Amino acid sequence: MATEVVMPQMGESIAEGTITKWLKNVGEHVDRDEPLFEISTDKVDAEIPSPAAGTLTEVRYKEGDTVEVNTVVAVLDGNGAAPPAKESAKEEAAAAPAETSTTAPAEATPPSAPAKPEPAATVERPKPVITSAPAPAAPAAHKTEVKTLVKKGEPAGASKATAPPVRSVEGATAEELRRTKSSPLVRKIASEHNIDIQQLEGTGMSGRVTKNDILSFIESGSPAPQTAAAPVKTQPVAPPLTQPVPATKPAEGDRVEQMTVMRKKIAEHMVMSRRTSAHVSTVYEIDMSKIAKLRDENRAAFLERTGTKLTFMPFIFKAVTDAIRKFPIFNSQVSGDQIIYKRDINLGMAVALDWGLIVPVIKRADDLSISGLARAANDLADRARTKQLKPDEVAGGTFTITNPGVFGGLFGTPIINQPQVAILGVGKIEKRAKVLTSADGEDYIAIRQMAYFALSFDHRIIDGSDAEKFLALIKERLESGQFAV
């Protein structure tokens, strides 16, 4: 019995993934749940485990290919024996849609599966979907049809001109559905500017409209298409969508390196954030001496009791959640002319990787104690560095904290992680000479553990006075040292 391995859907808004590395070669045996290949998406880099034990008999996409979700990328011989004959594998592929139509709708119609909003069964599934079926003899005509469908699922949209458009129940073509299946952020921007996404020429996979596409369209000053004739009128503005920045020609001796998928996503996200939010930053110097003393006194016992290290970050997380409770505007999002106040406080924590940056999320952080925050933060950071994060662990953040201080930086002005409205940067905690005042009013110089905290906030909805009060409250909480460890 053959097992098809598909590109998993790593989150609701993820429509495609890029295969960055195959961890097994054709002909090699793989155990169930053993890492089979690595992928990179908008949300996360991850190792994809094998859905079954067997021998890898076929790899349909090479490293670097971007593949739509639910597309078959490899085939396993489930019996772990010699690779089956190609004809048998084709017959199984032909039989799969008929036999599994009630349990795997995504495989039943490969060309339009990525565009459908319905397949909830695969939305939150981090592992590849298994589609296996017995191998009854299939009619030749049926086998030919399935072969054509699989080919249509390959990147580059090769068969647009030769195949008739596939229509949904509502009458929309597959191409139209793919365009409307753009990310929530793209749809939000389109709604805010009264733009019909279906009328734009997308540069994403299968014609999807990307963030760069719609932002470049807006910046071009072209009117939003309103009528049926609009697609013809918008054709002249297509070139700016693919050429937002002039290419730089390398000089002799320069080394040219292609951006990784993660690096390209980071670049897009940062530029989009600067275009979206009115960034303003404020910096406070905070005395961390009492926190440092509390940490030193409890470090050994904490490690023995919880099995994890006690760092400065859980205390900072706790101070931030306390401040957010008092100033909920910092836990909000902008939607058109509305402000959405998020119920849960989900703290994003930026983690530097050798190959980029990722922001795993501590869900409902305000419900956790210092030990709970420490466990969650250390666990997420460890799994981020080994590519073991799940899609929902990098989604849903409402406020982000970044810690450049671990590299020695005193402070920076971080860029807001959209669609959030604020981000806190923590600088290096170090000993400095400070002028203090005694109880009787005498000034004196003392050595204290100090750090700069930089808050970047969205001035569209957050006033400077609220930002100062918010950061002042965090300063007050940390300098008091009143935390239960």
Side-chain angles (χ1 to χ4, degrees), residues 275-403:
R275 287 171 172 164
T276 302
S277 296
H279 279 69
V280 179
S281 298
T282 183
V283 180
Y284 272 47
E285 188 178 31
I286 297 179
D287 189 343
M288 299 290 289
S289 299
K290 290 184 179 180
I291 297 297
K293 182 179 180 182
L294 182 64
R295 173 173 171 259
D296 289 340
E297 291 173 349
N298 292 274
R299 188 183 307 186
F302 186 88
L303 178 61
E304 183 177 354
R305 186 177 76 252
T306 66
T308 192
K309 294 180 180 179
L310 180 61
T311 67
F312 286 101
M313 295 311 294
F315 299 100
I316 297 172
F317 295 154
K318 196 67 176 173
V320 167
T321 57
D322 290 347
I324 287 176
R325 282 202 191 101
K326 188 167 183 179
F327 298 95
I329 189 66
F330 288 88
N331 201 55
S332 67
Q333 296 175 2
V334 177
S335 178
D337 59 357
Q338 297 179 328
I339 301 174
I340 301 174
Y341 291 86
K342 306 301 288 183
R343 180 192 63 184
D344 297 335
I345 300 177
N346 299 331
L347 290 185
M349 41 172 277
V351 177
L353 308 172
D354 291 340
W355 56 93
L357 178 76
I358 197 167
V359 185
V361 177
I362 302 175
K363 300 295 177 65
R364 304 185 72 170
D366 53 323
D367 291 340
L368 300 178
S369 63
I370 292 294
S371 59
L373 290 167
R375 285 195 200 94
N378 292 339
D379 173 61
L380 288 170
D382 289 343
R383 288 192 290 115
R385 296 184 181 103
T386 55
K387 299 184 179 181
Q388 299 297 318
L389 289 175
K390 300 174 183 177
D392 62 343
E393 291 174 327
V394 292
T398 59
F399 185 97
T400 296
I401 299 174
T402 181
N403 183 19

